[in-house]
Amino acid sequence: MKPTYEELENQILKLSENSNIISDVKYQKMIGNIGDVIVIIDKEGLNKYKSSNIEKYFGWKPEDLIGKSTFKNVNPEDLKIAQKFLDSLISEPNAVKATELRYKCKDGSYKWIEFICCNLLHDPEINGLLGNYHDITDRKKVEQALKESEANLFSLINNRVESIWSIDNNYNYIIFNNFFKDAYFATFSIELQQGMNSLNFLSPELLEFWKPKYDKVLGGERLVFEISNQEEDELHFYEVSLNPIISEGKVTGVSGLSIDITDRKKTGQAIQESENLYKSLFKNLNSPLSLYEVLLNEKGEPFDYRFLAVNSAYENTVGLKASDLIGKTLLNVFPGTESSWLQTIKEVCITGITNTVENYAKEVDLHVELTVYIPQKGQMAFICPDITIRKKAELKLIENQFQLEKQNEELQKAKEKAEESDRLKSAFLANMSHEIRTPMNGILGFAELLKTPNITGTEQKEFIKIIEKSGEHLQTVCLR
């Protein structure tokens, strides 16, 4: 079994014949098999002794270093630390102190060492500083990696806008981020420090709330719960997760995460209000409304639609209850659905573009205006208000328009006929006027001449004859 450093120290004290050499072969071999290099340094800082195992760990032979300054192989960046260490040690007899620094190997590289030294300058057998040191380079690398990991961890948690903290088995804070620290100060007006007890500053009510939860998690449970806190004029909600910290199979503490879910709560409330409004609209909408699951064939194309929900207006329109429809498909219930409707529905399901068509539903003997839209993926909905009265009114209007056009056409023909009749009458009257005026003028003219004084009998007879002819001519015209 290898001797301990204390055992070696006792042997060195006994076997040291002078300050330069320890000659016992047995103990040289023992020293060569331990992990620590033994050194004796005089008050001037010169090496009086180096154990032979230094060659194994640092490449130097003892004779390379004995009689030379112990500071020669200290990394220049650590030189002040080493000098201060030895100065403080020299000033205190029997003092035992330790330090860490970088020590130069024979190949020029440096290794971290842990150096433990005892002031035995007053001891006549040692008359120097008796020390031992060993390579801690791997440990320092682990420590450095741990520091970097901790730095990364703290950087990560301090960049979060959630409260993050942990406590040990005694409820003392281990780590916490700045967000938690600020929140703690805002709540308790206390500057949080590592090691402070997490329960000390809680009110009786808060203590009664938090301690049982911490105890459950220290017992190995995981808890997730919500809390609320009035902050200024607004109530904030938080989701808290407490998890056990487990090391070597044992719970050593609790880690905590608190997330502000106020916005999520508001969003959830808004969604709930929206859903309630949707349900109210769905239920109270006067137009028939139905919701379906889109069923796809092996090619991924819609081929039928399963009822998910219908409103009361839909029930009244088709004469069926929701319980008779939910779970069944459109074509099961209405196998005679028009192909044009099915094509419109299929196109909407494929394109996602809302479409509205009007058609006659012979299954229910109604005219409807069908609006097809996609409320969410995998679903399809109909709004189909009854427009039968409107369609009948439109048909009546079309019929009336047709009748009116027909009447207008007949009136136009009558007008044209009347106008032709008037034209013929006018032409007839114009012609008759001319034929009547000519004999009439003769009658009136010669009747006036008969009134002339001193007219002869012959002239009188001639005039009368002309009047008679004109009268006969006029009679002929009137008889035509």
Side-chain angles (χ1 to χ4, degrees):
M1 183 176 180
K2 292 183 179 181
T4 65
Y5 170 68
E6 288 77 11
E7 292 171 337
L8 288 172
E9 182 181 349
N10 291 332
Q11 295 298 329
I12 290 170
L13 290 172
K14 291 178 181 179
L15 297 172
S16 180
E17 296 178 351
N18 56 53
S19 60
N20 291 319
I21 300 174
I22 297 177
S23 58
D24 189 275
V25 175
K26 175 182 175 182
Y27 290 100
Q28 289 288 355
K29 289 182 179 180
M30 290 174 63
I31 290 171
N33 288 322
I34 66 172
D36 282 45
V37 176
I38 307 299
V39 61
I40 300 176
I41 305 170
D42 67 17
K43 63 180 180 179
E44 303 299 329
L46 300 177
N47 295 314
K48 294 175 62 178
Y49 170 78
K50 286 279 186 178
S51 58
S52 59
N53 61 352
I54 189 173
E55 184 175 8
K56 178 178 179 180
Y57 299 111
F58 298 94
W60 300 104
K61 293 182 178 181
E63 56 266 29
D64 295 333
L65 303 174
I66 294 175
K68 296 180 181 178
S69 173
T70 195
F71 299 113
K72 180 180 179 181
N73 289 342
V74 174
N75 188 296
E77 294 180 2
D78 300 332
L79 192 56
K80 288 184 178 181
I81 295 174
Q83 290 171 338
K84 185 177 180 180
F85 173 75
L86 289 185
D87 289 344
S88 67
L89 195 64
I90 289 171
S91 65
E92 299 180 46
N94 290 320
V96 178
K97 296 186 178 183
T99 189
E100 295 178 359
L101 48 81
R102 284 164 289 183
Y103 189 81
K104 186 177 182 180
C105 301
K106 191 167 185 179
D107 63 6
S109 63
Y110 284 91
K111 292 181 178 180
W112 278 97
I113 63 170
E114 181 181 51
F115 183 37
I116 302 172
C117 196
C118 176
N119 182 352
L120 296 178
L121 287 169
H122 59 285
D123 188 307
E125 293 181 337
I126 296 297
N127 189 25
L129 305 174
L130 177 62
N132 68 294
Y133 57 89
H134 58 273
D135 183 1
I136 61 168
T137 303
D138 291 340
R139 191 189 81 191
K140 293 294 284 187
K141 288 179 179 179
V142 172
E143 289 176 353
Q144 181 61 29
L146 181 60
K147 286 180 180 179
E148 292 175 357
S149 177
E150 289 178 349
N152 290 334
L153 173 63
F154 278 105
S155 176
L156 286 172
I157 67 174
N158 281 323
N159 283 328
R160 302 297 300 174
V161 291
E162 300 95 9
S163 290
I164 301 173
W165 73 98
S166 64
I167 61 170
D168 60 22
N169 283 326
N170 296 316
Y171 313 102
N172 297 321
Y173 286 111
I174 305 171
I175 62 171
F176 45 81
N177 66 349
N178 291 335
F179 192 88
F180 180 80
K181 184 177 180 180
D182 294 341
Y184 195 91
F185 183 83
T187 303
F188 301 105
S189 300
I190 296 173
E191 190 74 27
L192 188 59
Q193 301 290 335
Q194 284 184 336
M196 289 176 58
N197 193 278
S198 62
L199 305 179
N200 283 352
F201 302 102
L202 299 181
S203 66
E205 294 81 7
L206 289 176
L207 182 63
E208 185 179 356
F209 178 83
W210 281 100
K211 188 176 184 302
K213 288 180 169 52
Y214 281 147
D215 290 341
K216 283 185 177 181
V217 179
L218 288 171
E221 292 186 39
R222 180 180 182 273
L223 297 181
V224 179
F225 53 93
E226 292 184 9
I227 59 174
S228 61
N229 187 40
Q230 187 69 35
E231 298 175 14
E232 297 180 351
D233 297 331
E234 185 177 8
L235 184 64
H236 280 249
F237 295 89
Y238 298 89
E239 182 181 80
V240 180
S241 300
L242 298 180
N243 291 281
I245 300 172
I246 300 175
S247 177
E248 297 181 354
K250 296 182 179 180
V251 178
T252 61
V254 177
S255 66
L257 171 66
S258 176
I259 302 173
D260 190 335
I261 59 172
T262 305
D263 290 340
R264 191 173 80 190
K265 280 280 190 180
K266 290 179 179 178
T267 301
Q269 183 178 355
I271 291 173
Q272 185 61 50
E273 291 175 354
S274 177
E275 287 181 352
N276 292 338
L277 178 60
Y278 166 76
K279 290 178 181 178
S280 176
L281 289 173
F282 187 90
K283 180 180 179 181
N284 298 312
L285 187 67
N286 290 328
S287 296
L289 176 60
S290 50
L291 181 66
Y292 304 82
E293 175 192 356
V294 178
L295 303 180
L296 306 177
N297 59 22
E298 62 278 2
K299 295 181 180 179
E301 298 173 341
F303 74 94
D304 207 346
Y305 312 90
R306 182 179 290 116
F307 282 94
L308 297 177
V310 296
N311 67 351
S312 56
Y314 189 93
E315 291 177 315
N316 295 334
T317 299
V318 302
L320 295 171
K321 294 293 184 182
S323 57
D324 300 325
L325 299 170
I326 306 304
K328 298 179 181 178
T329 69
L330 180 66
L331 294 179
N332 287 150
V333 179
F334 303 114
T337 302
E338 288 78 356
S339 59
S340 60
W341 283 36
L342 294 175
Q343 183 60 33
T344 298
I345 296 168
K346 183 177 180 180
E347 289 175 358
V348 171
C349 290
I350 293 173
T351 64
I353 300 174
T354 299
N355 196 5
T356 300
V357 295
E358 293 182 2
N359 212 329
Y360 174 69
K362 62 182 179 181
E363 291 275 357
V364 290
D365 189 27
L366 294 174
H367 288 275
V368 296
E369 182 181 71
L370 177 68
T371 298
V372 187
Y373 66 97
I374 304 299
Q376 67 180 53
K377 187 176 181 180
Q379 293 185 358
M380 179 271 299
F382 295 165
I383 298 178
C384 47
D386 181 359
I387 59 170
T388 303
I389 295 176
R390 193 189 82 191
K391 293 301 289 185
K392 287 181 178 179
E394 289 176 355
L395 291 173
K396 186 65 176 177
L397 180 60
I398 292 172
E399 182 181 349
N400 290 341
Q401 287 177 338
F402 176 76
Q403 292 295 334
L404 182 60
E405 289 175 359
K406 186 176 180 180
Q407 290 175 358
N408 288 339
E409 184 179 348
E410 291 176 352
L411 287 173
Q412 181 65 27
K413 290 180 178 180
K415 178 185 175 184
E416 292 175 355
K417 186 176 181 180
E419 288 175 349
E420 177 65 17
S421 177
D422 287 344
R423 185 182 63 78
L424 293 174
K425 181 179 179 181
S426 296
F428 170 74
L429 290 175
N431 185 55
M432 288 294 292
S433 175
H434 173 72
E435 292 189 7
I436 290 173
R437 278 201 308 270
T438 300
M440 184 62 72
N441 288 336
I443 294 170
L444 293 175
F446 283 99
E448 187 66 28
L449 289 176
L450 289 174
K451 297 178 183 179
T452 306
N454 303 321
I455 185 175
T456 66
T458 302
E459 289 176 335
Q460 186 179 26
K461 289 180 181 180
E462 184 66 26
F463 291 165
I464 292 171
K465 188 178 181 180
I466 291 172
I467 290 172
E468 288 175 346
K469 282 186 176 182
S470 295
E472 292 173 358
H473 180 71
L474 179 60
Q475 185 181 23
T476 301
V477 170
C478 291
L479 292 174
R480 287 192 306 187

